[in-house]
């Protein structure tokens, strides 16, 4: 069982409070007690809101870091920033909301950097790096984790759905098998009983038969017709009229069917036309099976409802498809009772399922059944299986996450590269060489000094390390003594008079940290 949300929130807040207390205890960062308590209160609020308002919780977690350091990089609140950025991606917040949150943090940090008297390039470089690696990347990781969990849950749900569909298909297959058996019983046994009734009718009218034998043949014919009707009624309970049943191919060909009906006394003739050219497309099993059923049902109906009538079967097969017409004339004997018509309905459904046409109705003095089945090309196997679809979705999710990581890395590289280029430009164009510094003389006017000075000055001078305070009312300018980057260097301070002549009042060396004695010696050397 999962712990309650309140317990989880307390544990999260306790874990994020550890770096705040540890940084102060170890002396890594100096923060007043009231600021620490305010930061912990803000983290408590973020912890309480991270489930319902993850973007607000992220902004609250970033606030102490911006308040403590404009570059957002702090040991006390760095873990909280990354944790709530991760939760921002895990909670499924919209991408636009997350990007707006990151932009708000970047704007707030940039504004604070612009207000403070510091080197904006270096501070902004640290701000963008912290925001990228401490917020954007954790957010992407949380987003990827959420998508992975959603895909896994969707996969299990799909598996359960496939299992249910499999059970439904199995039940449906059993029902269709019942329908197949019922249809087979109706078509095959009904056809055989009709032939028996036809033979009995032939015996009844045969010359030289005794009266008793004629009566027995008539009773046999009536019994066969009644048996056909009862069989139709019983197996009708097992049939499904909503779709055609998939029958197995019959055991005899169409020619054998016609010959057996003729041997039973049915006056039937077959006219068959078949295109044997190489371009003819062979019919499928479904077409052959449906054609057989149409002829079989039509012959059964002719024997039952038009006894003694001449029957003509026209069977044509070519590259366009298969056409069959069964026509019977006027009945010569008393017809049997009218049927329900379900046999013709089933034939119509089977033919139309194959894209064909079916017609049945009076024709002249008799009846005609016509069916046309077009040639159908076998389609290729469907490769879009559920497993393939799930794998494709997972690959698409991985690709999106990879693109997001790549885009974040490219944007971060561009920002960091631009900031580094600006940092290098400002530092290297604010270098006053020791030789040029030594050549400057106190009392020289500003217009004579400017040609020897660099293009830029230092925007974040180390005023706290200056050996002496600047002259009152003087305009002081600060320069670097070396073009080295990311290392402490010495600085030069030049103070000019704000009067009419703008003369050089004082020049001094500001040493790098820990090198005061050595710089004092260099200062005496440069002053000579």
């Amino acid at each position: 069982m999962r712990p309650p949300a309140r317990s989880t929130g307390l544990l999260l807040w306790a874990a994020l409070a550890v770096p705040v207390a540890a940084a102060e205890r170890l002396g890594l960062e100096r923060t007043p007690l009231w600021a620490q308590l305010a930061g912990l209160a803000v983290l408590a609020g973020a912890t309480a809101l991270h489930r319902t308002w993850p973007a607000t919780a992220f902004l609250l977690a970033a606030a102490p870091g911006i308040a403590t350091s404009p570059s957002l990089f702090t040991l006390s609140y760095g873990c909280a920033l990354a944790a709530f950025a991760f939760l921002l991606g895990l909670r499924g917040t919209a991408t636009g909301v997350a990007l707006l949150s990151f932009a708000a943090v970047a704007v707030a940090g940039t504004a604070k950097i612009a207000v403070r008297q510091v080197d904006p390039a270096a501070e902004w470089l640290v701000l963008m790096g912290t925001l990228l690696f401490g917020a954007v990347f954790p957010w992407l990781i949380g987003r990827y984790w959420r998508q992975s969990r959603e895909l896994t849950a969707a996969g299990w749900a799909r598996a359960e759905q496939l299992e249910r569909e499999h059970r439904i298909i199995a039940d449906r297959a059993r029902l269709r098998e019942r329908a197949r058996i019922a249809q087979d019983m109706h078509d095959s046994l009904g056809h055989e009983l009709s032939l028996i009734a036809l033979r009995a009718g032939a015996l009844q009218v045969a010359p030289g038969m005794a009266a008793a034998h004629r009566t027995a043949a008539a009773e046999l014919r009536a019994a066969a017709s009644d048996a056909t009707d009862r069989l139709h009624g019983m197996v009708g309970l097992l049939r499904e009229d909503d779709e055609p049943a998939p029958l197995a191919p019959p055991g005899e060909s169409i020619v054998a069917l016609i010959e057996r009906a003729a041997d039973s006394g049915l006056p039937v003739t077959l006219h068959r036309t078949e295109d044997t050219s190489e371009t003819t497309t062979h019919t499928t099993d479904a077409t052959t099976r449906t054609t057989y059923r149409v002829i079989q049902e039509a012959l059964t109906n002719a024997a039952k409802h038009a006894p003694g009538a001449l029957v003509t079967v026209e069977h044509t097969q070519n590259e366009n498809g298969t056409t069959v017409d069964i026509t019977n004339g006027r009945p010569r004997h008393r017809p049997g009772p009218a049927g329900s018509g379900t046999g013709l309905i089933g034939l119509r459904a089977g033919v139309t399922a194959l894209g064909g046409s079916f017609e049945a109705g009076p024709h002249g003095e008799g009846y005609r059944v016509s069916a046309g089945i077009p040639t159908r090309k076998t389609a290729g196997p469907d490769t879009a299986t559920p497993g393939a679809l799930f794998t494709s979705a997972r690959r698409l999710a991985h690709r999106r996450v990879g693109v997001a990581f790549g885009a974040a890395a490219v944007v971060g590289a561009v920002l960091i590269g631009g900031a580094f280029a600006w940092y290098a430009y400002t530092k290297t164009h604010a270098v006053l060489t020791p030789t040029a510094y030594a050549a400057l003389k106190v009392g020289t006017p500003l217009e004579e000094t400017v040609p020897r000075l660099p293009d830029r000055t230092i925007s974040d001078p180390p005023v706290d390390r200056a050996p002496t305070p600047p002259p009152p009312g003087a305009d002081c300018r600060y320069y670097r003594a070396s073009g080295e980057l990311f290392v402490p260097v010495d600085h030069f301070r030049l103070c000019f008079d704000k009067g009419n002549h703008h003369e050089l009042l004082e020049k001094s060396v500001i040493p790098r940290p820990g090198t005061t004695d050595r710089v004092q010696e260099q200062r005496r050397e440069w002053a000579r």
Side-chain angles (χ1 to χ4, degrees):
M1 296 181 61
R2 294 184 177 180
R6 182 175 300 177
S7 300
T8 305
L10 290 176
L11 291 176
L12 177 61
W13 178 81
L16 297 178
V18 170
V20 179
E24 178 65 24
R25 177 70 63 177
L26 299 176
L28 300 177
E29 292 180 351
R30 295 298 181 184
T31 308
L33 180 60
W34 66 268
Q36 295 183 28
L37 296 178
L40 293 177
V42 171
L43 292 183
T47 304
L49 296 176
H50 80 278
R51 292 183 178 274
T52 55
W53 302 94
T56 304
F58 169 75
L59 293 176
L60 288 176
I66 295 179
T68 305
S69 173
S71 62
L72 194 61
F73 180 77
T74 59
L75 299 177
S76 299
Y77 304 103
C79 295
L81 179 70
F84 284 103
F86 172 79
L87 294 176
L88 179 62
L90 189 63
R91 299 303 177 197
T93 306
T95 304
V97 176
L99 295 180
L100 288 177
S101 302
F102 299 146
V105 174
V107 170
T110 303
K112 188 172 182 181
I113 292 173
V115 172
R116 296 178 70 246
Q117 295 296 326
V118 296
D119 185 6
E123 293 288 343
W124 197 78
L125 174 64
V126 178
L127 172 64
M128 290 296 104
T130 304
L131 186 62
L132 178 65
F133 296 103
V136 176
F137 277 6
W139 171 72
L140 291 175
I141 294 173
R143 186 177 178 86
Y144 171 76
W145 193 355
R146 176 180 59 83
Q147 291 180 350
S148 178
R149 293 194 308 179
E150 290 178 353
L151 284 175
T152 302
W156 283 110
R158 180 60 178 167
E160 294 177 357
Q161 180 182 356
L162 290 177
E163 186 176 356
R164 291 193 299 269
E165 292 179 357
H166 179 73
R167 290 195 298 266
I168 294 174
I169 291 174
D171 295 339
R172 189 172 183 82
R174 286 192 292 269
L175 294 176
R176 290 170 65 87
E177 182 64 18
R178 289 173 54 189
R180 187 196 68 80
I181 296 173
Q183 188 75 31
D184 195 19
M185 291 175 61
H186 173 269
D187 294 341
S188 300
L189 297 182
H191 181 71
E192 298 298 334
L193 290 175
S194 297
L195 294 181
I196 293 174
L198 183 63
R199 288 178 181 270
L203 290 176
Q204 182 181 356
V205 298
M209 291 287 293
H213 293 166
R214 292 181 185 276
T215 302
E219 293 177 352
L220 176 61
R221 178 174 175 272
S225 299
D226 293 341
T228 303
D229 295 336
R230 289 194 299 270
L231 175 65
H232 174 73
M234 287 185 294
V235 302
L237 299 176
L238 300 176
R239 297 181 59 180
E240 288 186 339
D241 295 331
D242 59 340
E243 61 177 340
L247 303 180
E252 61 182 354
S253 63
I254 294 177
V255 176
L257 173 65
I258 301 297
E259 292 177 351
R260 187 160 59 86
D263 293 340
S264 299
L266 182 67
V268 56
T269 56
L270 173 64
H271 301 284
R272 191 171 189 179
T273 303
E274 184 175 0
D275 187 0
T276 58
S277 62
E278 295 181 358
T279 59
T280 301
T281 303
H282 296 286
T283 58
T284 61
D285 291 340
T287 303
T288 304
R289 181 170 62 248
T290 304
T291 305
Y292 181 94
R293 284 192 56 208
V294 170
I295 298 176
Q296 185 187 51
E297 182 68 18
L299 294 180
T300 301
N301 292 339
K304 180 178 180 180
H305 304 295
L310 297 177
V311 181
T312 302
V313 179
E314 298 181 359
H315 182 208
T316 303
Q317 181 178 340
N318 52 35
E319 60 181 3
N320 296 324
T322 300
T323 304
V324 60
D325 295 322
I326 304 96
T327 308
N328 62 268
R330 181 175 58 85
R332 298 181 180 180
H333 307 288
R334 179 183 176 182
S340 62
T342 55
L344 294 179
I345 294 176
L347 290 180
R348 184 183 301 275
V351 173
T352 55
L354 297 177
S357 59
F358 182 85
E359 295 181 359
H363 179 75
E365 297 182 350
Y367 201 86
R368 169 177 285 183
V369 176
S370 300
I373 305 174
T375 301
R376 299 182 64 185
K377 296 182 180 180
T378 304
D382 186 7
T383 58
T385 61
L389 292 176
F390 180 72
T391 303
S392 177
R394 180 179 289 275
R395 290 178 178 175
L396 179 60
H398 289 174
R399 189 180 302 112
R400 288 180 176 177
V401 173
V403 170
F405 271 99
V410 170
V411 172
V414 171
L415 293 176
I416 293 176
F420 176 78
W422 176 252
Y423 173 79
Y425 174 81
T426 56
K427 298 304 180 184
T428 55
H429 284 72
V431 176
L432 179 62
T433 62
T435 304
Y437 172 79
L440 297 176
K441 303 298 181 180
V442 176
T444 306
L446 177 62
E447 59 272 11
E448 298 181 9
T449 310
V450 167
R452 303 179 182 180
L453 299 179
D455 300 336
R456 303 182 61 87
T457 59
I458 297 299
S459 58
D460 56 338
V463 181
D464 54 338
R465 298 200 309 269
T468 58
D475 179 19
C476 296
R477 302 183 182 185
Y478 297 85
Y479 302 94
R480 292 166 57 91
S482 172
E484 297 178 277
L485 302 178
F486 303 107
V487 295
V489 297
D490 300 328
H491 289 75
F492 296 130
R493 184 181 68 186
L494 303 180
C495 297
F496 295 88
D497 182 17
K498 291 185 178 181
N500 296 330
H501 300 286
H502 296 285
E503 296 179 350
L504 180 61
L505 298 179
E506 185 261 351
K507 66 174 186 177
S508 58
V509 179
I510 302 177
R512 69 175 70 99
T515 59
T516 304
D517 297 338
R518 186 171 62 84
V519 171
Q520 292 293 339
E521 182 64 28
Q522 290 181 349
R523 181 169 176 268
R524 288 192 293 270
E525 181 67 25
W526 292 336
R528 294 179 181 177

